[in-house]
Amino acid sequence: MTTSVPVPALDRDLIGRLRADVIASTWTVENLQTLISEGALSALMRDSRLPALVELAGATDPAAVLTRFFILGLPERASALNEALPTLGAHGLGSLGLAATIDEAEAASALVMPRAGGAPKREPRDKGADKASALKAPSLPTMRDPDEEAPEPEAEADPWMRALFDLRPHAATLPGGDHEWWVASDLAEVQTGKPLSDDHVLGIGGATLTLLEMTVREQVDSALDVGCGCGIQALYLATHADRVVATDLSSRACALTQFNAALNEAVIDVREGSLFEPVEGETFDLIVTNPPFVITPDSVRGAAGLLEYRDGGMDRDNLIRAVLRGAPACMNEGGALQMLANWEIPADRNPDTQWSWRVDSWLDGLPVDAWVVQRDVLDPARYVDMWIRDSGGQLMARADYERAFTSWLADFRRAGTGAIGMGFVALRRLDEAEAASGGKRAYDLSLDGHAPRGRDVAWALASLRAPELWDTALTRASDVREERHYVPGSPDPELIIMHQGGGLGRSVPVSSSVSAVVGASDGELTVGQIAAAVAMLTSVEVDDVRAEIEAPLRDLIRWGFLTY
């Protein structure tokens, strides 16, 4: 592992200058989309910086300079940084600890393509010239009085500098309005070409964006971000919570969250410590967490170290259990927890139909309602390969890669793990009366269509407390459509698929009876009345119709096809 650089200085004056400069330079997500093509931006999301590098070569616009420097990881002359950040300047960047001066040799090795007027000069190799210069008499040293102080070495007038952190704009459209932030995190391997340090602080990745999208954005009094990392979840929470606390076991993550809060003028109470320990005795209306849940055996930790951003140091998948068991004590009645997670599925269980038992056991006895979704399932070999590559597998020697892979895979085999489920959990804290009757839980496998948004999660949790089904008048969502498939010449459909245009965007096979009930659900008749009519029209017992439609209707309500 490499050694991490010191964290940025929490100098509010210099941070204020940096903020003023990036705003003035229009270094925004919208501007980035004009500077870089859609293809290059897409490549950048895949950790490929070269297409963007080619497109920005030679550009002198301040936003282009800052993008090359902080996002693509290329050196820049101090003069270029002075022009891009006129209030802070290159010196201020160095004082904040965001950049460092480097020599010509390091700059030359880092520049992937020549920069007009800026690349270090390399004289062409000419054998004749080399021979002629070798025949020249050596120059004599300058004579100096021995009692005279040696002159200070002259500093280069326009030195090269390199970024010590990733810094980039991030835009969000939330119920309270549009936001433009700038978020600092540690440089990734694609920028440095080196393995990550043990205390690496991750930037905004795909998992982060998933959790941001699915978080309920209702106004609340208090919110907690557990495992805050660079602090992006806490920045979002600060837009709709009067009080925000962010915790992390990593002191480096806490420092970067404080820096990002200052840079974006957000008030966030940052505390160092494990999980809920820093907020013991406090309760919150909303808790979000993308915890370090990667299932890592001790044999791999011993060889490669513990990557704090993804490995909580607990045995197997017990970190998720610890979060779920500890969360209710920190939640106000009616409060919510939203988290990303993974869980082990034994080899003797079907990963598609028997995956929920472990999470279900963790929730036993807790005063919560729960919606749990397994969005993906990986066999152990794919899981191991994914996480080794995540931590620099492409930079590892073949022997080291194979040693880590086999050790990790053997650990899963000894544990009897057949698959690893990956998804999310949403909890709602029950009040005393609700808790007396026990929590309600729903488990969904691989929701197709759109990733759930905050309002989808809020509705799914609320639907677990839906009124008595048979006495309820349901209303079909306006975006629901139906597709029917017939065998040629048959009067009855062989397959009926119900499509949802908005919401989760799901497509769900249903029976004729369910289709009839959904079609008649216009908010006037109760489900019991519609079921009785369907029974009469199809000459089937009412109890049989109810048995057929009850579970599918509850699913359709949870997924937003029907409302009450």
Side-chain angles (χ1 to χ4, degrees):
M1 294 294 171
T2 58
T3 303
S4 56
V5 299
V7 296
L10 198 60
D11 185 319
R12 297 189 183 277
D13 175 60
L14 293 179
I15 292 172
R17 296 184 191 182
L18 173 61
R19 175 178 174 81
D21 283 339
V22 294
I23 291 174
S25 71
T26 64
W27 192 34
T28 63
V29 170
E30 184 179 8
N31 195 14
L32 270 183
Q33 292 169 345
T34 64
L35 289 171
I36 305 175
S37 69
E38 183 178 346
L41 285 171
S42 177
L44 202 54
M45 289 298 293
R46 302 190 305 271
D47 289 336
S48 175
R49 62 178 185 152
L50 299 183
L53 186 154
V54 170
E55 293 181 4
L56 291 181
T60 57
D61 176 85
V65 171
L66 295 175
T67 300
R68 276 199 309 261
F69 188 66
F70 283 114
I71 300 178
L72 304 184
L74 293 187
E76 291 288 341
R77 290 285 190 186
S79 58
L81 295 171
N82 286 333
E83 291 180 13
L85 303 169
T87 307
L88 179 68
H91 179 74
L93 275 181
S95 298
L96 276 176
L98 295 178
T101 300
I102 58 176
D103 59 27
E104 293 276 333
E106 184 175 348
S109 66
L111 288 172
V112 179
M113 60 188 303
R115 188 83 51 76
K121 295 179 180 178
R122 300 185 184 183
E123 296 296 333
R125 290 193 59 80
D126 183 275
K127 293 181 180 179
D130 287 347
K131 186 175 182 179
S133 61
L135 297 175
K136 291 181 181 177
S139 57
L140 295 174
T142 303
M143 299 300 292
R144 182 173 56 83
D145 187 332
D147 295 328
E148 182 183 337
E149 289 188 6
E152 291 291 331
E154 291 186 14
E156 187 180 350
D158 191 13
W160 286 94
M161 300 189 75
R162 67 177 178 90
L164 299 179
F165 291 87
D166 181 296
L167 179 69
R168 64 182 66 199
H170 177 80
T173 298
L174 300 173
D178 295 337
H179 299 269
E180 190 80 43
W181 291 305
W182 293 268
V183 180
S185 60
D186 278 325
L187 294 169
E189 292 159 337
V190 67
Q191 296 153 316
T192 65
K194 300 176 182 177
L196 304 180
S197 60
D198 293 356
D199 57 357
H200 178 84
V201 177
L202 206 62
I204 303 171
T208 300
L209 294 172
T210 296
L211 184 57
L212 289 171
E213 182 72 14
M214 66 176 281
T215 299
V216 178
R217 296 297 171 194
E218 298 172 354
Q219 187 66 35
V220 294
D221 291 332
S222 57
L224 171 65
D225 177 10
V226 178
C228 56
C230 68
I232 185 62
Q233 304 289 344
L235 287 175
Y236 272 66
L237 292 175
T239 68
H240 61 102
D242 296 333
R243 179 173 72 95
V244 178
V245 178
T247 71
D248 204 296
L249 183 63
S250 165
S251 58
R252 186 174 185 80
C254 289
L256 276 165
T257 293
Q258 288 176 318
F259 179 87
N260 287 325
L263 179 58
N264 295 288
E265 298 182 336
V267 179
I268 299 171
D269 180 359
V270 183
R271 306 179 194 178
E272 184 178 342
S274 177
L275 300 180
F276 301 107
E277 289 176 2
V279 294
E280 185 177 357
E282 299 179 53
T283 56
F284 300 85
D285 300 312
L286 176 61
I287 301 174
V288 299
T289 178
N290 179 15
F293 54 67
V294 177
I295 303 164
T296 313
D298 289 337
S299 58
V300 173
R301 289 181 185 137
L306 187 151
L307 288 170
E308 292 178 348
Y309 77 88
R310 74 179 201 188
D311 180 3
M314 294 191 186
D315 182 52
R316 315 230 58 82
D317 54 7
N318 283 312
L319 179 81
I320 302 304
R321 180 186 185 278
V323 174
L324 293 178
R325 301 296 296 182
C330 295
M331 298 166 69
N332 290 324
E333 289 185 356
L337 164 78
Q338 295 181 246
M339 67 180 293
L340 303 183
N342 66 190
W343 39 81
E344 291 181 280
I345 304 170
D348 60 355
R349 291 180 181 263
N350 187 312
D352 293 332
T353 61
Q354 298 175 306
W355 61 270
S356 62
W357 72 276
R358 188 157 176 78
V359 182
D360 204 47
S361 68
W362 295 337
L363 296 173
D364 274 349
L366 296 181
V368 297
D369 286 342
W371 184 38
V372 185
V373 177
Q374 180 170 284
R375 289 189 59 84
D376 199 3
V377 62
L378 301 178
D379 63 70
R382 286 179 60 203
Y383 185 87
V384 170
D385 184 63
M386 177 180 71
W387 288 117
I388 290 180
R389 292 184 184 279
D390 171 80
S391 60
Q394 67 274 20
L395 302 177
M396 296 173 68
R398 177 176 177 176
D400 293 335
Y401 173 86
E402 292 186 346
R403 192 177 298 112
F405 193 108
T406 54
S407 177
W408 207 330
L409 200 58
D411 179 77
F412 277 127
R413 187 176 181 83
R414 283 192 297 269
T417 302
I420 299 92
M422 307 185 72
F424 63 83
V425 180
L427 305 182
R428 187 182 72 86
R429 179 69 155 85
L430 305 179
D431 60 31
E432 189 173 343
E434 292 170 329
S437 61
K440 298 180 182 296
R441 305 167 200 167
Y443 296 92
D444 283 325
L445 174 66
S446 186
L447 290 178
D448 54 1
H450 313 307
R453 288 157 292 189
R455 61 178 176 270
D456 302 317
V457 175
W459 171 256
L461 285 174
S463 73
L464 298 178
R465 295 279 161 177
E468 173 61 37
L469 184 62
W470 312 117
D471 299 329
T472 302
L474 298 175
T475 301
R476 182 183 66 256
S478 61
D479 58 359
V480 173
R481 297 293 182 269
E482 188 176 87
E483 175 186 351
R484 292 181 172 233
H485 296 257
Y486 294 83
V487 172
S490 173
D492 299 316
E494 184 180 52
L495 176 65
I496 303 174
I497 303 175
M498 205 162 284
H499 299 286
Q500 183 182 36
L504 296 173
R506 300 211 69 188
S507 296
V508 183
V510 298
S511 69
S512 296
S513 295
V514 172
S515 170
V517 174
V518 173
S521 294
D522 58 3
E524 297 295 329
L525 299 175
T526 66
V527 175
Q529 291 170 322
I530 299 173
V534 171
M536 184 174 63
L537 290 171
T538 58
S539 300
V540 177
E541 292 294 328
V542 173
D543 288 344
D544 291 338
V545 172
R546 287 190 173 197
E548 178 185 337
I549 67 176
E550 181 174 8
L553 286 182
R554 293 194 186 281
D555 288 341
L556 292 174
I557 291 171
R558 184 169 66 256
W559 300 331
F561 286 77
L562 296 163
T563 58
Y564 53 86

